[in-house]
Amino acid sequence: MRSVVTSADDRFRRLYADNFQAMLAYALRRVGSLDDSADLVAEIFLVAWRRRAEMPPGDESRLWLFGVARLTLANHGRGEQRRHQLGEKLRLELREHLVTHDPTSELLEVRAVRELMAQLEPHDREVLELAVWEQLAPREIAVALGLSSQVVRARLSRARKRMRILLENHSSGMFYGHKSAKAGHVRGVPTMLEPKEGKS
Amino acid sequence: MKDSEIDRLLGEVQPTPVPAGALAEAGRELLEEIMSVHSPAEPGRSDQAVPLPTRTWSLARRRLAWVGVAAAVVAAVVVPTVVFGGGGAVVPVTPATQAPTPTPQLPHTKNPYVLLDAPGWEIDHVNESAEDNGEISFQQPETGQSLQVSWTTMDAYESRYEDRLDVSDPEPITLFGANADRFDYGKGEFEVLAPQSDIFLEVRGSSTGGRKNFAGLLEQLRQVPAEEWFAAMPDSVITPDENPSYTEEILAGVPLPEGLPASAFVSGFTNSRYHVEFGVIQRATCAWLENYEQAWETDDEPAMAAADQALAGSPNWEAVRREDGPDPIGAEQYVKAVSQRKSVDGYRSNLGCDDLG
């Protein structure tokens, strides 16, 4: 039991509260199983907790956390399945909330787009995912990745350009209908999975 | 397909969106678990790697970028016709009557001039963003393998090395006859950090197969004389001597604000056509928005109209119109704001205009 609550502890609590959902989403979008996602979230915050003294002030702490997340993910990608004692409840509730992990992957269009994304260069894909999935601005991505804003913009522009060419060259032409599809929807793709129960 | 449409499509195919507010209780429990872990940092690989942002580094690069541009402008005036010819020689092209022959000048950059000799591989792109920062990317089109070599100043080395300790344990190797460290990202991705006096190289291989294959590729990397490197550049890469004429080509049909000379767009760096075009289009867009902003503040309708007309035509600028040309990221909203005579507040940071100096 901690007897002293430091300002660093308070800042970490705030960082955690503000970014738990974002890190959960980050993990779920990038690793293959719910258990791995829970482990990754636990690992990200554990590393951040241990290094909290180095957390930058203000909004940059959020971007710093994304930097922690990508390197923790890289470690995770090496196949070291480190099961933590931490986050057991998170693992269980993830299974309960998202019984079928990523059901949208069964849809042909979704699979096709993801396969096209996989054809982008890793550096380009990374900035595109951070921009589109994590909704980070180029300036924020630059901070998170430790790059210049100019490099990020060039990579982002190149990634979108290549993605456009890949989509337009895709043999089935299935994406051309997207523009006229119902706003905000790829045909047949739910925009959000509904939790089984009310918000907790 | 517009950028916004691509983004929307990609947003919709993201795996498993998380219901808002879900798992909050489990999250709270995890927080208490984590905060009960003894700290400060315990020994261990993952604890050692915190990727601290390197803002000062990027600011330094911006300043250097301006130095580079200014140097290039001077070079364009003083030695306008130096070309890097084939056959490994720098060939000064001067009128026959001119004397003395100008000394061939190489760009003052920290480019390590690396080439890859592996069969079937080709140069995908080159991007020198500052005097001491850049990358060259090689790819094997048939297999989808890629190898990127980037270089930055040594002041970023320590933090980069610490970051990579979170990826894997370093394995000592030799690159270009000097000590280096290899890190294993798994799934055929490796990275080498190789210090070289005042810069260090990052060599990143993707889909390169196992360790042995990656090592084989590294053996085929060569540092070559600058002239050989320039001679090896494909048509898709614009060398500094080609930059003024290519910039002029890009600017054809692009209206410029009064007082902004075309020479302000010239760069002394080596970049793929795409990156040259990106820089020029970005600078032109920023310049017009700056003009508009000033006009908007003083309610100068003719000046606002001029900016409006120029920006409205930007989708038809040759470089933008081409399929493989650049997009000024996020400019659409400001072009629209200009047409409606609204504020364009925030455009500088959102479009990266501040990075241009």
Side-chain angles (χ1 to χ4, degrees):
Chain A
M1 185 175 176
R2 294 185 314 282
S3 55
V4 178
V5 177
T6 66
S7 61
D9 291 354
D10 290 341
R11 290 186 61 228
F12 180 78
R13 281 185 182 280
R14 198 173 308 121
L15 178 80
Y16 185 97
D18 290 346
N19 293 285
F20 172 73
Q21 288 283 334
M23 288 301 113
L24 184 59
Y26 181 94
L28 285 166
R29 287 164 185 151
R30 289 168 176 81
V31 296
S33 79
L34 296 176
D35 283 0
D36 281 353
S37 298
D39 269 357
L40 181 57
V41 171
E43 181 78 13
I44 290 167
F45 281 113
L46 184 60
V47 171
W49 164 245
R50 286 173 165 160
R51 307 290 291 194
R52 64 194 181 283
E54 299 171 29
M55 191 191 314
D59 187 52
E60 290 211 359
S61 62
R62 179 174 67 98
L63 307 176
W64 172 82
L65 189 62
F66 273 107
V68 172
R70 71 185 283 259
L71 288 168
T72 310
L73 174 66
N75 192 18
H76 196 86
R78 296 177 61 241
E80 289 187 1
Q81 302 301 321
R82 289 189 280 177
R83 289 278 177 262
H84 283 289
Q85 294 302 314
L86 304 173
E88 183 59 28
K89 186 178 180 67
L90 180 61
R91 267 193 290 280
L92 293 174
E93 290 204 5
L94 263 181
R95 291 181 198 147
E96 189 179 337
H97 272 276
L98 306 172
V99 177
T100 305
H101 188 212
D102 195 11
T104 60
S105 65
E106 300 305 315
L107 295 170
L108 192 61
E109 288 181 345
V110 173
R111 275 214 311 271
V113 176
R114 289 184 193 163
E115 284 168 9
L116 294 179
M117 283 184 81
Q119 293 178 34
L120 298 175
E121 281 188 20
H123 285 164
D124 291 354
R125 187 172 64 244
E126 181 175 44
V127 295
L128 189 58
E129 287 175 353
L130 288 171
V132 176
W133 291 352
E134 264 56 63
Q135 296 288 297
L136 296 185
R139 176 187 58 79
E140 296 175 319
I141 296 172
V143 175
L145 303 189
L147 297 169
S148 78
S149 185
Q150 200 69 350
V151 167
V152 169
R153 285 172 194 285
R155 285 185 184 174
L156 192 53
S157 176
R158 188 173 60 210
R160 284 189 173 120
K161 183 66 69 177
R162 290 187 172 175
M163 198 65 213
R164 174 182 297 115
I165 293 170
L166 287 169
L167 287 166
E168 291 177 353
N169 289 344
H170 194 270
S171 57
S172 70
M174 62 174 60
F175 310 113
Y176 288 105
H178 177 69
K179 202 171 173 181
S180 57
K182 187 178 176 182
H185 292 262
V186 172
R187 288 189 299 272
V189 180
T191 53
M192 179 174 284
L193 296 177
E194 294 298 329
K196 289 177 71 178
E197 299 171 1
K199 293 175 184 176
S200 52
Chain B
M1 220 174 192
K2 292 179 181 175
D3 281 353
S4 56
E5 292 168 337
I6 291 175
D7 287 0
R8 194 165 66 231
L9 181 62
L10 299 186
E12 288 166 358
V13 303
Q14 63 181 283
T16 320
V18 181
L23 311 166
E25 189 182 330
R28 278 191 291 273
E29 187 171 306
L30 174 61
L31 172 64
E32 296 310 320
E33 289 172 352
I34 286 173
M35 292 185 72
S36 68
V37 172
H38 177 69
S39 65
E42 298 166 357
R45 186 176 58 239
S46 64
D47 301 338
Q48 304 306 310
V50 176
L52 291 174
T54 51
R55 271 203 177 286
T56 50
W57 158 233
S58 74
L59 287 172
R61 274 195 295 212
R62 283 177 217 156
R63 282 196 294 275
L64 286 169
W66 271 108
V67 171
V69 169
V73 173
V74 171
V77 172
V78 177
V79 193
T81 52
V82 172
V83 298
F84 300 92
V90 178
V91 184
V93 178
T94 55
T97 56
Q98 185 175 332
T101 301
T103 305
Q105 291 185 4
L106 290 171
H108 297 291
T109 70
K110 303 288 186 185
N111 189 327
Y113 299 120
V114 173
L115 292 177
L116 177 64
D117 281 343
W121 285 71
E122 55 191 40
I123 294 169
D124 179 60
H125 69 262
V126 176
N127 183 195
E128 280 187 335
S129 55
E131 191 178 69
D132 51 12
N133 176 256
E135 70 176 22
I136 180 169
S137 178
F138 306 93
Q139 68 168 2
Q140 219 293 8
E142 292 179 5
T143 61
Q145 297 171 304
S146 68
L147 191 75
Q148 291 178 318
V149 180
S150 58
W151 56 95
T152 55
T153 52
M154 277 301 290
D155 57 8
Y157 177 77
E158 192 175 341
S159 66
R160 198 68 52 89
Y161 184 86
E162 287 181 2
D163 288 351
R164 297 310 184 259
L165 291 177
D166 202 25
V167 172
S168 77
D169 289 330
E171 292 184 48
I173 65 164
T174 301
L175 183 68
F176 304 135
N179 292 333
D181 288 295
R182 180 181 58 207
F183 298 88
D184 181 358
Y185 281 76
K187 299 178 182 174
E189 290 204 25
F190 298 92
E191 185 173 79
V192 170
L193 296 185
Q196 286 195 337
S197 62
D198 54 352
I199 61 165
F200 70 98
L201 308 184
E202 289 179 87
V203 183
R204 181 79 176 262
S206 296
S207 309
T208 47
R211 195 165 299 196
K212 192 176 172 184
N213 288 351
F214 182 68
L217 281 175
L218 292 183
E219 286 175 6
Q220 296 172 88
L221 276 177
R222 285 192 305 130
Q223 276 192 288
V224 301
E227 295 86 350
E228 182 178 345
W229 189 84
F230 283 112
M233 290 300 105
D235 286 346
S236 60
V237 175
I238 303 298
T239 50
D241 58 299
E242 298 168 329
N243 189 280
S245 62
Y246 190 59
T247 297
E248 190 179 344
E249 195 179 311
I250 298 167
L251 286 172
V254 176
L256 296 181
E258 197 176 329
L260 181 65
S263 59
F265 291 77
V266 172
S267 160
F269 303 131
T270 302
N271 278 295
S272 296
R273 286 176 185 270
Y274 179 87
H275 293 95
V276 179
E277 292 163 359
F278 181 85
V280 170
I281 296 304
Q282 182 186 32
R283 189 174 290 274
T285 304
C286 290
W288 276 116
L289 285 171
E290 184 177 355
N291 266 33
Y292 171 82
E293 188 177 43
Q294 291 169 0
W296 188 77
E297 285 168 356
T298 57
D299 201 22
D300 181 351
E301 175 54 31
M304 285 191 283
D308 185 7
Q309 187 177 1
L311 290 167
S314 61
N316 294 319
W317 295 348
E318 176 59 24
V320 176
R321 200 159 53 85
R322 280 207 323 274
E323 187 182 64
D324 58 350
D327 290 323
I329 300 168
E332 287 171 12
Q333 59 175 310
Y334 296 109
V335 173
K336 187 177 177 185
V338 168
S339 72
Q340 297 170 341
R341 302 296 189 266
K342 291 182 177 175
S343 167
V344 291
D345 190 35
Y347 80 93
R348 292 193 65 82
S349 60
N350 287 334
L351 297 185
C353 303
D354 286 332
D355 299 336
L356 298 173

